[in-house]
Amino acid sequence: MTRLCALILLCSLTQLAIAQQYTVSGTIKDTGGQPVPFASVYIKNTTTGTSANVDGKYAIKLQKGDYIISYRAVGYKQQDYKVKLSETINNDVILASESYTLENVTIKGNAEDPAFEIIRKAIKQRKIHLEEVKAFTCDVYIKGVQKLKGAPKKFMGRDIQKVMELDSNRQGILYLSESNSKFSFRRPNDVHEEMISSKVAGRNNAFSFNKASDLIINFYDNYLLENKLSARGFISPIADNALFYYKYKLVGESKENGELIHKIQVIPRRENDPVFRGYIYIIDESWRIYNTDVYLTEKSGINFIDTLNINQQFTKVKDTYMPTNINFQFAGSVLGFKLAGYFVGVYSNYDLDPKFPKDRFNGEILKITKSVNKKDSLYWINNRPIPLTPDEQVNYIKKDSIAKRKESKVYLDSLEKENNEFKITKLLLRGYSQNDRYHKQYLSFDPVLKSIFYNTVEGFAIKYGVTYRQDFENRRSYSIRPELRYGFANKKLTGSLTGNYYYDPLKRASFGGSFGNGIFDLNNLGSMTPLGNTINSLLYEKNFPKFYEKSFVSLYTTRELASGLQASLSADYSKSNTLTNSTDFKFFDAKDREFTSNNPFSPNAEIPLFPTYKSFSATASLTYTIGQKYITRPDGKFYTESNFPKITVLYKKGFNGVFGSDIDYDFAKVEIAQDRIGLGLWGYTSFLVGAGKFLNNDKVYYPEYKHFAGNISTIFPPNLRKFQYLDFYQFSTNQQYFEAHVEHNFAGFFLNKVPLLRKAKLEEFIGGGYLSSPEKRNYKEFYFGIQRLVLRVSYGFAYDGPTKLTQGFRIAYGF
C-alpha cells in the first residue's frame, strides 16, 4: 500500500511539473520588418535554448520563474529580455543590425589590414582551442528540409508533378525530417549518438538520416568536409596555412556580453582555391571563434550543389565557447531540377565533464531503437524546439495521410495495377516486374536485350533469369533466382537455381546456396563483360574470354562475429570439363587476324587445358576492418567508411577422394586494403596489397588456380584490384604470389590552376600495380589520367622487369 501511495504521489508531482511549464513564443524580425531566420533563443549564461525557424518564429518552454532570454543572430545586435514567467506569453523581438565600428582602429594607406594580425593570433591559438574540450555531452535537435524549386514537366517519360507529389508549378517539399538525440564526444574523434525521437514526413516507419556529428564542422581543424562535397577538403580561415590562401579585412568591432568581437571578412586569394568566403567573428584577447557566416560556391570546387552556406553561433560554457546553433543552407540545379534546403541543429544542455560508461565508445556512432519513430503528434508538440512553418505543417499532414492510405491493400493494388502493366518495350529494354507491395512480394524479369550476347564457344546466346524476393520487417528477406542459358551454335542448354536468406540484419547474417550447371570464365575474377566481348568478337575478330562448363552444388553462410569482423564459410562440389569453339562467325573479317582457340595457352589449336574432373572444396574467410564505425537501427547494422585498413584472411582446402573429388590442395592468402585515405589538399590515396601461397598443390587444375584481375581492353569498368595491362589468363598461379595496387587522386590540385580546365572540375590521378609469382616474377605497370565523376581516361605503361611490354590509353566508366 505504501508503494502504491508513493507511486501515485510521484505521478501527481510529475503532472504538476508538466502543468507548470509555460511557453514564450513570438516572431523575430529586423528593423525593416523582415523575419530573421534561425536566430538563437537562449536563457542567458546557459546552453538551454532553441532556434527560430526559417520564418523567424520561435517557441521555448520553461518552468515558472524569472529569466533573461537572449536573442542572437549573426550580423545582428544581441537583445536581452527579462521575463517573469507565470503564464504563456508572446514576445515579438526586433533585432537591429549590428553596428561594427573601426573607432579604435587606425588603418594607414599602405599598411596591412589589422585583420591579419588578429587572424595570426587566432591561428597561434588554434590547436589549443581545438583540444581544450576533452569530452562533452549535449542534447541535439535537428531539422532537415529539402525543397524542389523547379523541375521539367517530364523526366525519362514520367510526369514529374505526379511522381514527386508537387504542386502545379512543380514545386514542393521533397524531404522533411526532425530528430532529437543525446550526443556524446570524446577527443580525438570518438562519438556516440542515441536518437530519442525521429519523424519523417510521409514515411511513418522510416528513420531520419540526421546525425549530429554531420553538422558539427570545426573551424579549428585545418581541413573541413574532406571526401564529402569534394574529393579535397576545404581550408579553414584559421588553418595553419590559411594566410597563403586567404586575404582578410577587418569590417569592424562591437561589444557583446562584455567581450570585444572582431568581424573579419575572409577573401580568397585565388578564385578557384578550395576556400570559404564570408565572415568569421573572433573574440579579442582569447582569439576564439564567436560566430561564422561563410559559404562555398562552385568556384571552391563543390560538387552536386551550387552553394553551401554555413552559419554557426557559439555560447559560453564554463571557460570556453561551444556551438549552440548550426545551420547549413544549400541550393543547386541538376538536370533541370532546382533544389534548395537546409539542415539546422540546436545543441543544448552541455556537460563538459561527463562520466562515460566503459562501453560508451565501441564503434557505434548512432543508435536508433524501435520506439524512436513511434512518438505521436502530442509528443512533438511538446518537444519540438523549432516551430513548423505553415508549408511544413501542411506537408506533414498531407504526406502522413497519404502514407497511411498507401499502406492499404486497395491503394497498393491500384498503384501496382499501373506499375505492373506489361509492355513488350519495357521487357526488352528495362526488364519487367510484377510487384505486390502489400504482401512485400516482388518478381522481376531480366531485360531481354541485355541478356543476349555472342562468343565463339556458344555463338549467339541468351542468359536469362527471373528473381523472386519476399521481404519481411526490419529488412529480413529471402530471394530465389532460376536462370537458363542457351548457345545457338553449340546447342547447349544449362541452368541453375540460386537462393539466399538474409535472416539477421543486425548481425549482417545470411545463408544460401545454388545448384545446376553453367558456362563460366576460366578466370574466376572475370575477364571481359559479355557486351564488350560481343563487340570485340563481331567487329574486330577478337575473342578474349575463355570458357569452361561446370555442374555444381554450392552452400555458404556469412555472419558478423564482432563489430567490423565478418566471417564466411562455403562448401562447393562440382564437375568441370573443357569447351571448344563452335563458330567463327563475325561481321567483319580482319585479314591479319583470326579467332584464337578456347585454350589461352594454345591459341592455334583446340587442345584441352585440363581433363574432366570432380572437386570438393571448403573455404573460410575472415574480414576485419580496423576501427570500424557503424549505425545500429532496428532494420540492420550499417557500416560507415573507415579511416583504417581492412584485413582479409582466407583459407581454402581442396579435398581428395571426398565424393570422388580429384583435387588435393591447400591455399591461404592475406590482403590489406583501404580506400580514400585523405591527404588534405593533395587529395586521397587508395591501396591494396595481397600475398598468398598454395601450401599444398598436389592436384590443382587450372580453374582452381589463383587468378588475377587482368585487362587488355581499352574500355573497362574500374576496380582498384584490376591490372590495366595484364593478360587475363597467362599468369595465374598454383604456387605463391605477391600483388600490390596503389592509386592517388590529386582531386584537381594541379588542373584547378589551369583557367580553361578548372570549370570542368577534372581530377588528375596516378597509379600503378605490381605482381610477382613464378609465372610473372616482376610485372609492373604505371598510369596517369584524369576523371570526372563516373568517367576516367588514362595512359599507361607495362613492364616485365626492365622490358616494356605495352602502353596505351584506357577508358573506365562507372563508380
Side-chain angles (χ1 to χ4, degrees):
M1 187 66 181
T2 304
R3 290 183 179 180
L4 180 61
C5 292
L7 180 60
I8 293 172
L9 179 60
L10 178 62
C11 291
S12 300
L13 291 174
T14 302
Q15 292 298 319
L16 181 62
I18 293 173
Q20 287 183 329
Q21 266 201 335
Y22 302 102
T23 301
V24 180
S25 62
T27 303
I28 304 171
K29 296 183 179 180
D30 62 20
T31 52
Q34 296 301 309
V36 179
F38 308 116
S40 291
V41 182
Y42 275 79
I43 306 305
K44 194 173 180 67
N45 298 324
T46 75
T47 58
T48 300
T50 184
S51 168
N53 67 16
V54 71
D55 294 333
K57 295 186 179 297
Y58 77 95
I60 183 170
K61 296 182 187 303
L62 300 168
Q63 301 291 330
K64 181 179 180 180
D66 297 337
Y67 299 94
I68 299 177
I69 303 178
S70 296
Y71 297 85
R72 280 180 55 196
V74 177
Y76 294 88
K77 185 175 180 60
Q78 178 176 314
Q79 297 288 342
D80 292 341
Y81 287 84
K82 290 184 178 180
V83 175
K84 189 175 183 64
L85 197 58
S86 59
E87 61 180 354
T88 293
I89 63 172
N90 183 81
N91 186 37
D92 293 334
V93 176
I94 302 296
L95 292 184
S97 295
E98 183 61 270
S99 177
Y100 288 91
T101 65
L102 295 172
E103 292 178 0
N104 301 318
V105 179
T106 301
I107 303 177
K108 298 180 180 179
N110 297 324
E112 180 184 70
D113 193 287
F116 282 84
E117 184 58 26
I118 296 170
I119 290 295
R120 287 190 184 96
K121 292 176 179 177
I123 292 172
K124 188 175 181 180
Q125 296 294 312
R126 179 193 67 81
K127 195 170 182 181
I128 294 174
H129 294 153
L130 176 66
E131 298 176 352
E132 68 180 339
V133 177
K134 305 302 180 185
F136 68 83
T137 63
C138 66
D139 297 326
V140 184
Y141 166 81
I142 298 176
K143 179 163 76 171
V145 179
Q146 299 177 31
K147 294 183 177 181
L148 196 63
K149 293 291 190 178
K153 290 184 178 181
K154 289 191 174 183
F155 186 75
M156 298 183 70
R158 306 189 70 181
D159 188 326
I160 294 299
Q161 181 184 351
K162 183 178 179 180
V163 171
M164 305 184 77
E165 300 174 354
L166 305 173
D167 62 22
S168 58
N169 296 317
R170 296 185 298 285
Q171 297 181 359
I173 296 176
L174 300 178
Y175 175 78
L176 169 60
S177 172
E178 299 173 276
S179 66
N180 284 304
S181 299
K182 188 72 175 181
F183 183 68
S184 302
F185 170 85
R186 184 178 66 189
R187 185 152 298 285
N189 54 12
D190 289 330
V191 299
H192 184 269
E193 180 178 357
E194 184 163 357
M195 192 172 284
I196 299 168
S197 56
S198 167
K199 184 174 179 61
V200 183
R203 300 179 64 190
N204 298 332
N205 296 318
F207 302 97
S208 299
F209 295 118
N210 310 337
K211 286 209 315 292
S213 54
D214 286 343
L215 287 188
I216 293 183
I217 176 172
N218 195 336
F219 282 90
Y220 292 122
D221 286 322
N222 282 319
Y223 303 104
L224 310 166
L225 299 171
E226 283 188 84
N227 287 325
K228 292 184 179 178
L229 295 176
S230 170
R232 285 199 284 172
F234 300 93
I235 304 161
S236 168
I238 59 168
D240 291 338
N241 59 345
L243 293 172
F244 181 75
Y245 291 93
Y246 288 98
K247 293 185 291 184
Y248 304 91
K249 180 180 179 181
L250 181 60
V251 176
E253 298 171 336
S254 69
K255 282 274 190 178
E256 235 173 80
N257 298 319
E259 303 272 16
L260 180 64
I261 310 298
H262 303 283
K263 180 180 181 180
I264 297 173
Q265 184 178 5
V266 296
I267 306 163
R269 287 188 179 272
R270 292 164 293 276
E271 282 290 304
N272 297 91
D273 278 345
V275 295
F276 297 88
R277 294 158 169 80
Y279 299 92
I280 186 169
Y281 298 74
I282 302 293
I283 302 174
D284 194 61
E285 293 186 354
S286 68
W287 315 113
R288 301 177 189 275
I289 296 174
Y290 185 67
N291 291 324
T292 65
D293 186 13
V294 296
Y295 62 95
L296 297 168
T297 69
E298 285 188 293
K299 290 182 178 180
S300 305
I302 58 175
N303 293 316
F304 310 115
I305 57 175
D306 298 332
T307 60
L308 173 68
N309 178 263
I310 302 172
N311 186 298
Q312 294 178 311
Q313 296 179 42
F314 292 75
T315 298
K316 191 171 187 178
V317 184
K318 292 186 177 180
D319 297 323
T320 187
Y321 280 76
M322 302 296 292
T324 49
N325 189 313
I326 303 176
N327 180 239
F328 284 47
Q329 296 184 66
F330 58 88
S333 179
V334 181
L335 300 175
F337 293 86
K338 295 180 180 179
L339 303 167
Y342 66 84
F343 282 86
V344 58
V346 177
Y347 294 73
S348 59
N349 301 321
Y350 277 97
D351 179 1
L352 301 189
D353 188 25
K355 307 301 181 192
F356 296 124
K358 290 183 179 180
D359 61 346
R360 173 58 55 86
F361 302 105
N362 58 0
E364 182 184 59
I365 61 174
L366 176 61
K367 181 179 181 179
I368 304 175
T369 60
K370 286 184 178 180
S371 62
V372 160
N373 60 2
K374 307 303 180 185
K375 304 293 192 296
D376 59 17
S377 57
L378 182 61
Y379 168 88
W380 284 103
I381 290 172
N382 291 322
N383 291 277
R384 175 183 288 123
I386 302 180
L388 297 176
T389 63
D391 62 333
E392 290 167 359
Q393 293 175 359
V394 170
N395 188 259
Y396 266 138
I397 295 170
K398 178 182 176 182
K399 286 190 175 179
D400 287 352
S401 63
I402 291 174
K404 290 181 180 179
R405 192 167 77 245
K406 284 181 176 180
E407 294 172 358
S408 69
K409 189 175 188 304
V410 173
Y411 178 86
L412 291 174
D413 286 348
S414 66
L415 183 67
E416 298 299 2
K417 184 177 180 180
E418 180 180 348
N419 292 339
N420 294 342
E421 182 182 357
F422 178 80
K423 293 181 181 179
I424 189 65
T425 53
K426 184 189 294 185
L427 177 63
L428 290 173
L429 298 175
R430 302 199 309 267
Y432 171 67
S433 61
Q434 186 77 28
N435 301 329
D436 181 353
R437 296 191 204 184
Y438 185 77
H439 295 102
K440 299 181 180 180
Q441 298 173 344
Y442 306 90
L443 184 66
S444 60
F445 296 80
D446 292 351
V448 173
L449 292 182
K450 290 184 178 180
S451 302
I452 298 171
F453 55 90
Y454 175 86
N455 61 61
T456 54
V457 170
E458 300 169 277
F460 284 99
I462 183 168
K463 180 181 178 182
Y464 197 78
V466 179
T467 303
Y468 170 79
R469 190 180 84 247
Q470 171 72 65
D471 290 347
F472 305 99
E473 288 187 0
N474 296 333
R475 292 180 65 246
R476 293 183 301 113
S477 66
Y478 74 81
S479 63
I480 299 173
R481 177 178 171 84
E483 187 176 271
L484 291 175
R485 178 168 179 157
Y486 182 73
F488 290 91
N490 66 350
K491 296 182 174 54
K492 186 179 287 292
L493 176 67
T494 59
S496 63
L497 183 66
T498 302
N500 177 75
Y501 180 39
Y502 189 54
Y503 65 91
D504 189 347
L506 289 176
K507 292 296 183 181
R508 302 164 65 89
S510 64
F511 65 82
S514 60
F515 69 91
N517 65 332
I519 294 176
F520 299 89
D521 198 309
L522 282 170
N523 185 328
N524 61 11
L525 295 179
S527 55
M528 186 175 289
T529 64
L531 177 60
N533 182 53
T534 299
I535 294 171
N536 273 282
S537 298
L538 294 176
L539 301 184
Y540 304 106
E541 204 170 347
K542 295 180 178 180
N543 57 331
F544 295 121
K546 308 301 176 184
F547 304 95
Y548 75 108
E549 184 179 10
K550 180 171 70 172
S551 302
F552 60 91
V553 177
S554 299
L555 298 172
Y556 75 89
T557 182
T558 181
R559 184 181 179 87
E560 183 187 67
L561 302 181
S563 295
L565 180 62
Q566 193 80 13
S568 298
L569 289 172
S570 65
D572 300 274
Y573 177 77
S574 64
K575 180 181 179 181
S576 304
N577 58 272
T578 58
L579 297 171
T580 60
N581 288 340
S582 300
T583 179
D584 63 354
F585 176 80
K586 60 270 187 183
F587 289 157
F588 302 101
D589 187 6
K591 294 182 180 180
D592 58 343
R593 191 181 304 123
E594 295 288 341
F595 284 129
T596 59
S597 77
N598 194 49
N599 184 336
F601 299 93
S602 176
N604 299 319
E606 294 285 2
I607 301 173
L609 180 59
F610 54 87
T612 298
Y613 71 95
K614 297 178 181 178
S615 68
F616 177 71
S617 63
T619 305
S621 69
L622 289 172
T623 299
Y624 179 63
T625 303
I626 301 171
Q628 180 68 69
K629 307 291 186 181
Y630 61 91
I631 297 170
T632 304
R633 299 190 335 194
D635 56 343
K637 192 172 188 178
F638 303 87
Y639 284 160
T640 61
E641 188 171 316
S642 176
N643 294 323
F644 301 96
K646 177 186 294 184
I647 303 171
T648 299
V649 179
L650 179 145
Y651 179 79
K652 185 174 183 180
K653 171 69 176 177
F655 296 93
N656 184 253
V658 180
F659 303 124
S661 175
D662 300 312
I663 61 174
D664 184 6
Y665 65 83
D666 295 85
F667 172 73
K669 78 168 185 178
V670 177
E671 284 186 356
I672 303 175
Q674 186 175 352
D675 286 332
R676 302 180 76 95
I677 304 170
L679 298 177
L681 296 182
W682 289 95
Y684 60 88
T685 295
S686 303
F687 76 89
L688 182 149
V689 176
K693 181 178 177 60
F694 281 83
L695 307 175
N696 156 40
N697 62 356
D698 286 352
K699 287 188 177 181
V700 188
Y701 298 100
Y702 186 81
E704 316 291 329
Y705 278 32
K706 163 59 185 173
H707 302 285
F708 303 99
N711 175 65
I712 54 178
S713 59
T714 302
I715 302 175
F716 67 99
N719 187 333
L720 182 63
R721 183 186 297 275
K722 185 180 286 290
F723 291 99
Q724 298 195 19
Y725 300 90
L726 185 71
D727 187 273
F728 298 126
Y729 307 102
Q730 296 293 324
F731 309 113
S732 301
T733 185
N734 65 350
Q735 297 185 60
Q736 69 274 350
Y737 75 93
F738 172 81
E739 70 173 315
H741 307 264
V742 64
E743 183 174 294
H744 181 77
N745 187 313
F746 288 97
F749 183 85
F750 299 105
L751 294 179
N752 187 56
K753 297 173 175 58
V754 182
L756 295 178
L757 295 178
R758 61 169 61 115
K759 288 187 177 181
K761 297 183 180 179
L762 298 175
E763 299 173 4
E764 58 280 84
F765 61 87
I766 59 173
Y770 178 82
L771 175 63
S772 178
S773 71
E775 291 77 12
K776 200 70 173 174
R777 291 198 175 276
N778 193 18
Y779 172 85
K780 47 190 174 292
E781 60 182 37
F782 308 95
Y783 57 88
F784 60 91
I786 55 175
Q787 71 177 46
R788 173 65 176 149
L789 297 179
V790 299
L791 182 66
R792 50 191 278 158
V793 179
S794 64
Y795 191 87
F797 308 83
Y799 294 85
D800 186 1
T803 305
K804 185 167 72 174
L805 298 176
T806 187
Q807 65 187 70
F809 283 99
R810 292 290 185 264
I811 300 173
Y813 60 92
F815 290 102

